Amino acid sequence: MISLIFLFWLLQSLVPLSSFDASQCHSKVQRHLYQDGNVLIAALVPLFYVFDSTTNDFSPVKQNMVQYKMRSYQFSLAFRFAIEEINRNTHILPNTSLGFHLHNVHINQRTILVGALGCLTGFENVHPNYECRSRKKITALLTGVSWATSALIGRLLNLYKYPQLTFGPFDTILNDRSQFSSLYQTAPKDISLSHGIVILMVHFSWTWVGLVLMDDHTGAESLSDLRREMDRYRICLSFVEMVPDIPIISYYEPSLKTHMQILKSSANVVIIYGDHESLLGAIMIIAEHVLNMKVWVLKSQWDETSLTKSLLFDTFHGSLIVAHHHTEVSDFRKFIQTYNPSKYPEDYFLARFWNTYFNCSFSGPDCKILGNCLPNASLDMLPKSVWEMDMTEESYNLYNSVYAVAHSLHEMTLKQVQIQPHGNGEVYTFPWELHPFLKNIQFKTGAGNIVVLDSQRKLDAEYDIINIWNFPESLRKKMKVGTFSPKAPEGQQLFLSDHMIQWAIVYTELPHSVCSESCVPGFRKSPQEGKTVCCYDCTPCPDNEISNETNMDHCVRCPESHYANTEKIHCLQKVMTFLSYEDPLGKALTCLSLGFFALTTGVLGVFVKYYNTPIVRANNQALTYILLITLTFCFLCPLLFFGHPNTVTCILQQSSFGVLFTVALSTVLSKTITVVLAFKITFPGRLIRWIMISRAPNFIIPVCTLIQLVLCGIWLSTSPPYVDSDAYSEHGHIIIICNKGSSIAFHSVLFYLCSMALGSYTVAYLSRNLPDTFNEAKFITFSMLVFFSVWITFLPVYHSTKGKLMVAMEVFSILASSAGLLGCIFFPKCYIILFRPQRNVLYHVRNKAP
C-alpha cells in the first residue's frame, strides 16, 4: 500500500515536469523580494517594462512583452549588498538586523502607486489607511530613478510623513519642501554640469554642437544653463531637439524626427542631456541608424546595455560620458562574483541569467536552477554588452541611501538609549520620527565620499570624463580619461588625457565640429547675416592692421611708428626716411639741379665774355645779368629740399623759393616793359619820356620783391613751415618732410608768382610784332607760357602725391620752370653768339633794320 502511494506521488511529480516549458520561467515576473529583519527598508526598482507586442490593432489576441532593464537589476544587487554589509558591521546598529522589501515595478502610474502601497501595507490589493502587516513597519522607502516616479510616490508618502529617499539624479522639483517635505535626494547637485560640458567643448574647440533633451522642466532648466555657459564661451547650437515626455512604446515617430534632424545638421558633436525613459527611446533609434558619424556627449544616467547591436563597432563607440565621480566600493565586485542561484535561489531573474548564458536547466515551475550548468559560473563572465560589473551612479546613490537610513537609525537608537538607559535596545519607532536625523545626517562612506541629504548643505559634485570603447561590442569598456573639478582654479578645472580617447571609426584624428573654419592670423571674423556668431566669413585685415591670433573678431591697428607685415600678423618698426641725396630720385634731381646750375653759370660766362656785342647789350644788359644770377640761385634752391629736414631748411625752402622766383619774374617783367618802351621812344610822349628819364622800370624788381617779402613775413610770423612726419604715404616708412604750415600762405605765394608770370606774358604778347632784331618779346612769351603751365599743372599733381614724391614734385617744378626761363630766353641768344657770330655785329643789325 505504501509502495502504491509512493508510485502515485512519483507519477504525479513527473507529469508536470515532463510537460514543463522553460519559456514559462522567462515570462514569469518576480515582483517582490523580501528578507526579514528587526527593521525593514523598502525599495522600488523599475526593473522591467511591459508593452503590447501586437502589430495589428484589430488582432483579437493581445500579447504583452516583458523587457528587463539590466542596469536596474544592478540596483537591486547594490541594495542587497548594502543591507548585508551593514548587518555585518558591528559599528552600525550592532543589536539590530536590517531586512528589506524589494519591489520590482513596471513604469506606469498605477503599478508605481500599487507598489508604494504594497511596501507600506504588506499587500498589493489593499485600501489606504489600512495596514495588514505585523509590528515591523517600513522605516523608509527608496525610489528612483526618474523624478516623475519619485514625485508620484512622494505626494502619497507626504500624506503619511513616510521618509522617502530617491537615488535618481537631483531634481529641483523634488527639492520643493512645500510639496515633498518627507523626500530626500541622495544624488549630488548638478550645479556645474553645464559648465563642465561647455569646458569640454572648449577643450576640443567644438563650437558648433547639437542638443537633444527632454521637453519638461528639467530640459528647460538645462537648456537655459547650457545657453548661458555657451554664450560665455562663444559656442553655438546647430539645433535643439526637445523630446516629448511620452511612454517608451510611443517614442518611434518623435525619435525618428530627432534622428533626421541629427543627420541633417552639419554639427559633428551632439550633446544628449537628460535621463528620462523617453530619451532612451530616441537614443535607441539613433543607435539603429547613425553609425559612427557623430561624437556623442552624454550624461551618465543611461542604460548602455539597451543600446547593443550585432556590429563590430556600435554607434556610441568613442562617446564621452560626463558622470559623477565616486570611488569604487571595494567589496561590491566580489559580491557580484559570488552572487549565484545556489546562494540566492529566491531570485528568479538570476535564474533566467543562468539558463540563458550558462546553459543551466530549470528544475520546474518553481524556476530554480539545477546543477547541470557551466561550473564556476558568475555574473562577471557575462558579455560586457549585457552586464556591467562596475557600480553605476544610481547604484552608488542607492547604496548610500541605505547607509543614510542606517546611520539615521543608529543616531536615533543612541538617542533612545540616552532617554531610556534600561531599555532592551530594540529599534521601534514611527517612521516620521526619523526625519530630524535624516535631515541632519552627514557621514563618510567607506570609499571616502561625504554624503549629505540636506540640499542646502550638499557639496558641488565632481565629475569623471568617461570614454566608451566597444570593439567588438562584447568587450565594451568604459575608460576614465579625465576629470572635471568645479572647485579647482579657473583654467585647471578640466584634466583630460587626450591620448587615451578612442573616437568613432570615421575619425582618424580629433573630430572637428565648427560652423565655419577658423580664421587664421591675418584675417578677422565677419558675421554672416541672419546666422549665429559661430557662422562667419574670414576677411583679410585692412591695411596697417593685424590679427596675431586665430578667430579674432577685430583686427588691431598698428601704432603710427609701426606697420603691418605682408601676412598682417606682426607690427614691424617703420624706418625713418626722407628725400636724400642717396635715393635714386634724389640723385637724379640733384644731378639736374647741379647741371642746370652749371649751364646757367656757363650762359652767364658767355654773356660776360661777349658783353660788348649788340645782342648782349640789347634789352638792358644789367637786367640780363640779374636774371641769370637769379636763375643760378633758383637751380641751387632745390638742394634745400634734400637731406634730413630741420626748422631752418623748412623755412628756407619756401621763403627762398618764393623770393628768388619773384626776383626772376620781376626781372622778366622789367625786361618786357623795357623792350616795349625802347620801341615806343621813336615817338615819345610826355609820359613815355618821363618813364625813360626817371628809370621807372628799374623799380619793378624791388617793389615786386618787397611785396613777396611782406607775404613771406606774414606767413612766417603766423604759421611758419615746420618739420613733420608722414607715417602713411609709404608702406613701412615714416617720411620726414617739411609741412607748409599755412596752406593759404603757400598758395598765395604761388598765386602771386603766377600773376607776375601772366602779366609778363600779356605784355610780351602785345609786343610780339616789334622788329625781330631787338625783340625778346616772343622768347619771353614762350618762357612765361612754360612757367605758367608748369605751376598750373603743379597744383593738382602736388596734391595727389604723398611723401617723398610730393617733395620731388615741388623740386621738379622749380627746375622745370627755371629751365623754361633759361631755355626760352637765353638759348637762342647763345646760339647766335656761339654759332652765328656774323649776326651779332652792328653792321648786320643796321642792314636788317627797315
Side-chain angles (χ1 to χ4, degrees):
M1 185 65 179
I2 296 174
S3 60
L4 290 175
I5 295 173
F6 175 76
L7 181 61
F8 175 78
W9 174 84
L10 182 62
L11 290 173
Q12 286 289 94
S13 62
L14 287 176
V15 170
L17 182 63
S18 61
S19 62
F20 171 71
D21 185 1
S23 62
Q24 297 175 13
C25 289
H26 285 277
S27 61
K28 186 176 181 179
V29 176
Q30 184 179 25
R31 297 185 181 273
H32 306 280
L33 274 176
Y34 179 82
Q35 177 179 304
D36 198 12
N38 301 122
V39 180
L40 297 180
I41 301 177
L44 265 66
V45 176
L47 185 59
F48 61 92
Y49 44 85
V50 181
F51 56 92
D52 182 14
S53 62
T54 305
T55 56
N56 186 358
D57 293 338
F58 299 99
S59 175
V61 179
K62 298 294 181 180
Q63 298 179 358
N64 290 334
M65 179 177 290
V66 178
Q67 183 165 341
Y68 289 91
K69 300 176 63 178
M70 303 300 296
R71 187 184 183 94
S72 297
Y73 183 62
Q74 195 194 80
F75 302 164
S76 62
L77 298 191
F79 180 65
R80 297 190 71 163
F81 169 70
I83 296 290
E84 292 185 11
E85 193 175 56
I86 292 170
N87 285 334
R88 293 193 303 267
N89 192 338
T90 58
H91 300 289
I92 305 177
L93 300 174
N95 299 320
T96 304
S97 64
L98 282 181
F100 65 82
H101 195 175
L102 181 64
H103 276 248
N104 299 322
V105 296
H106 167 45
I107 304 301
N108 63 53
Q109 293 188 8
R110 178 182 176 278
T111 57
I112 289 172
L113 289 176
V114 167
L117 285 171
C119 287
L120 298 178
T121 63
F123 295 92
E124 291 191 16
N125 298 320
V126 296
H127 298 282
N129 299 323
Y130 286 88
E131 182 179 358
C132 304
R133 190 188 297 280
S134 64
R135 286 184 68 219
K136 296 176 183 177
K137 298 182 176 65
I138 299 296
T139 305
L141 180 61
L142 313 184
T143 62
V145 287
S146 73
W147 71 269
T149 301
S150 297
L152 189 64
I153 299 172
R155 292 186 178 93
L156 173 65
L157 298 185
N158 197 47
L159 299 174
Y160 301 95
K161 303 302 179 184
Y162 257 81
Q164 176 188 2
L165 282 73
T166 68
F167 54 88
F170 190 91
D171 193 275
T172 54
I173 282 188
L174 301 181
N175 199 36
D176 184 1
R177 305 308 293 176
S178 62
Q179 294 188 64
F180 307 103
S181 60
S182 301
L183 187 147
Y184 305 90
Q185 301 188 72
T186 308
K189 286 184 177 180
D190 283 327
I191 299 174
S192 303
L193 179 59
S194 297
H195 181 60
I197 290 177
V198 171
I199 290 295
L200 188 66
M201 303 295 107
V202 172
H203 176 81
F204 292 116
S205 300
W206 295 334
T207 59
W208 187 241
V209 298
L211 178 62
V212 180
L213 70 171
M214 278 299 302
D215 190 7
D216 59 6
H217 74 282
T218 304
E221 292 173 0
S222 302
L223 179 59
S224 176
D225 293 342
L226 279 170
R227 283 193 187 277
R228 183 175 62 253
E229 291 294 332
M230 287 180 172
D231 290 344
R232 179 181 170 192
Y233 290 95
R234 306 294 293 273
I235 296 174
C236 304
L237 290 172
S238 170
F239 65 88
V240 177
E241 276 296 308
M242 307 290 286
V243 178
D245 185 5
I246 56 178
I248 194 169
I249 59 174
S250 307
Y251 69 72
Y252 186 79
E253 286 189 8
S255 297
L256 193 61
K257 173 179 173 292
T258 301
H259 159 70
M260 296 305 297
Q261 178 62 62
I262 293 173
L263 285 183
K264 185 175 64 175
S265 171
S266 60
N268 292 325
V269 176
V270 179
I271 302 171
I272 302 180
Y273 200 104
D275 49 76
H276 200 275
E277 294 293 334
S278 295
L279 271 186
L280 179 60
I283 295 300
M284 293 175 70
I285 288 291
I286 293 169
E288 288 294 328
H289 297 90
V290 186
L291 294 179
N292 296 102
M293 293 185 293
K294 305 289 182 181
V295 175
W296 309 94
V297 179
L298 312 170
K299 283 184 66 176
S300 60
Q301 291 86 5
W302 295 106
D303 186 4
E304 291 83 6
T305 59
S306 64
L307 307 178
T308 59
K309 297 190 299 180
S310 300
L311 296 171
L312 184 63
F313 291 88
D314 72 4
T315 298
F316 291 92
H317 168 70
S319 299
L320 296 174
I321 298 177
V322 184
H324 287 123
H325 169 76
H326 65 83
T327 309
E328 286 296 325
V329 179
S330 57
D331 293 333
F332 183 65
R333 181 178 290 268
K334 183 179 179 181
F335 171 78
I336 292 180
Q337 290 171 344
T338 59
Y339 193 84
N340 55 65
S342 60
K343 189 175 181 180
Y344 299 95
E346 70 279 6
D347 192 340
Y348 293 169
F349 189 74
L350 187 63
R352 291 180 66 251
F353 263 139
W354 254 245
N355 175 259
T356 303
Y357 293 101
F358 302 130
N359 200 27
C360 300
S361 302
F362 291 112
S363 61
D366 59 356
C367 295
K368 293 184 179 181
I369 293 295
L370 296 174
N372 58 338
C373 54
L374 186 68
N376 300 321
S378 172
L379 285 173
D380 64 348
M381 298 174 63
L382 296 176
K384 297 296 185 294
S385 59
V386 175
W387 178 255
E388 187 173 357
M389 289 293 293
D390 296 330
M391 183 178 278
T392 63
E393 188 173 322
E394 297 89 343
S395 296
Y396 185 71
N397 292 337
L398 183 56
Y399 172 81
N400 287 335
S401 298
V402 176
Y403 264 91
V405 175
H407 279 285
S408 299
L409 287 170
H410 186 78
E411 293 294 327
M412 188 173 66
T413 303
L414 292 178
K415 186 175 181 180
Q416 288 179 349
V417 170
Q418 291 174 1
I419 297 173
Q420 299 176 355
H422 303 293
N424 57 10
E426 291 187 3
V427 179
Y428 176 73
T429 184
F430 295 104
W432 48 85
E433 294 181 2
L434 195 62
H435 285 299
F437 301 94
L438 287 171
K439 184 175 182 180
N440 297 318
I441 195 67
Q442 177 173 328
F443 64 95
K444 182 178 289 188
T445 65
N449 295 330
I450 296 177
V451 177
V452 178
L453 297 184
D454 185 7
S455 61
Q456 303 300 323
R457 296 186 293 126
K458 281 185 180 291
L459 302 176
D460 202 358
E462 296 193 353
Y463 300 90
D464 292 333
I465 311 299
I466 298 171
N467 187 215
I468 298 179
W469 295 1
N470 196 32
F471 45 96
E473 63 174 334
S474 60
L475 299 178
R476 171 179 285 155
K477 183 175 181 58
K478 289 183 178 181
M479 179 62 68
K480 179 180 175 180
V481 295
T483 59
F484 175 75
S485 178
K487 294 177 288 187
E490 189 75 23
Q492 303 177 22
Q493 296 173 321
L494 180 67
F495 173 77
L496 210 59
S497 299
D498 293 19
H499 65 281
M500 295 178 60
I501 300 176
Q502 295 283 340
W503 299 111
I505 57 174
V506 296
Y507 299 109
T508 57
E509 55 186 14
L510 176 67
H512 201 50
S513 187
V514 295
C515 180
S516 300
E517 293 298 327
S518 298
C519 292
V520 298
F523 291 78
R524 65 176 178 85
K525 295 194 292 187
S526 179
Q528 295 179 0
E529 187 176 355
K531 295 187 178 181
T532 65
V533 296
C534 297
C535 301
Y536 49 81
D537 298 318
C538 293
T539 306
C541 288
D543 292 339
N544 211 38
E545 293 187 12
I546 66 165
S547 62
N548 54 6
E549 296 179 4
T550 303
N551 285 337
M552 289 189 65
D553 294 323
H554 304 283
C555 298
V556 180
R557 178 169 291 277
C558 292
E560 288 191 359
S561 59
H562 292 69
Y563 69 97
N565 64 345
T566 307
E567 293 80 13
K568 297 183 178 180
I569 59 176
H570 296 297
C571 287
L572 305 178
Q573 182 74 40
K574 288 183 177 179
V575 178
M576 295 288 184
T577 186
F578 44 84
L579 186 60
S580 65
Y581 298 104
E582 289 78 15
D583 287 340
L585 186 59
K587 287 179 180 179
L589 293 175
T590 301
C591 291
L592 283 175
S593 178
L594 295 177
F596 280 117
F597 167 75
L599 185 61
T600 307
T601 305
V603 172
L604 179 60
V606 169
F607 272 67
V608 171
K609 182 179 179 179
Y610 297 97
Y611 74 96
N612 204 26
T613 60
I615 202 166
V616 175
R617 295 176 63 185
N619 303 113
N620 199 324
Q621 188 175 12
L623 293 178
T624 299
Y625 291 150
I626 293 173
L627 180 57
L628 284 171
I629 293 172
T630 304
L631 288 177
T632 302
F633 285 103
C634 285
F635 284 121
L636 292 177
C637 179
L639 299 180
L640 293 171
F641 290 83
F642 302 125
H644 195 293
N646 54 61
T647 304
V648 176
T649 56
C650 286
I651 292 175
L652 288 177
Q653 282 177 10
Q654 307 307 324
S655 58
S656 60
F657 155 70
V659 172
L660 287 174
F661 269 87
T662 300
V663 173
L665 291 175
S666 61
T667 303
V668 172
L669 180 60
S670 181
K671 285 175 68 66
T672 307
I673 293 174
T674 301
V675 171
V676 173
L677 292 176
F679 285 95
K680 291 291 184 180
I681 200 170
T682 308
F683 305 100
R686 183 178 299 175
L687 179 60
I688 299 299
R689 183 180 301 171
W690 178 84
I691 292 174
M692 293 299 294
I693 293 173
S694 62
R695 295 182 176 272
N698 295 337
F699 292 99
I700 294 176
I701 297 174
V703 171
C704 292
T705 304
L706 181 61
I707 295 173
Q708 185 65 280
L709 288 173
V710 171
L711 287 175
C712 289
I714 296 172
W715 182 3
L716 297 179
S717 61
T718 55
S719 181
Y722 58 91
V723 179
D724 197 6
S725 61
D726 183 1
Y728 304 103
S729 298
E730 190 172 338
H731 182 70
H733 294 83
I734 297 178
I735 304 173
I736 308 301
I737 58 174
C738 287
N739 192 299
K740 300 295 187 295
S742 174
S743 177
I744 296 176
F746 173 70
H747 288 88
S748 297
V749 169
L750 288 181
F751 177 76
Y752 180 67
L753 294 177
C754 289
S755 298
M756 292 178 62
L758 185 60
S760 299
Y761 172 80
T762 303
V763 175
Y765 181 79
L766 294 176
S767 60
R768 67 187 184 282
N769 293 324
L770 295 177
D772 292 340
T773 303
F774 299 98
N775 191 2
E776 284 186 320
K778 290 183 180 180
F779 301 141
I780 292 174
T781 300
F782 283 115
S783 67
M784 291 301 100
L785 188 60
V786 170
F787 184 92
F788 193 76
S789 299
V790 167
W791 289 105
I792 290 298
T793 307
F794 163 79
L795 288 175
V797 177
Y798 178 80
H799 289 291
S800 64
T801 55
K802 300 289 183 182
K804 291 191 288 187
L805 289 178
M806 180 184 288
V807 180
M809 185 62 203
E810 187 172 356
V811 170
F812 180 79
S813 298
I814 293 173
L815 293 175
S817 56
S818 300
L821 291 175
L822 177 66
C824 292
I825 296 176
F826 294 103
F827 281 1
K829 294 184 178 183
C830 289
Y831 176 77
I832 293 175
I833 293 172
L834 297 177
F835 301 104
R836 296 289 187 268
Q838 68 276 10
R839 296 173 58 184
N840 190 19
V841 294
L842 186 60
Y843 174 77
H844 177 78
V845 172
R846 287 177 177 174
N847 288 338
K848 198 173 180 180

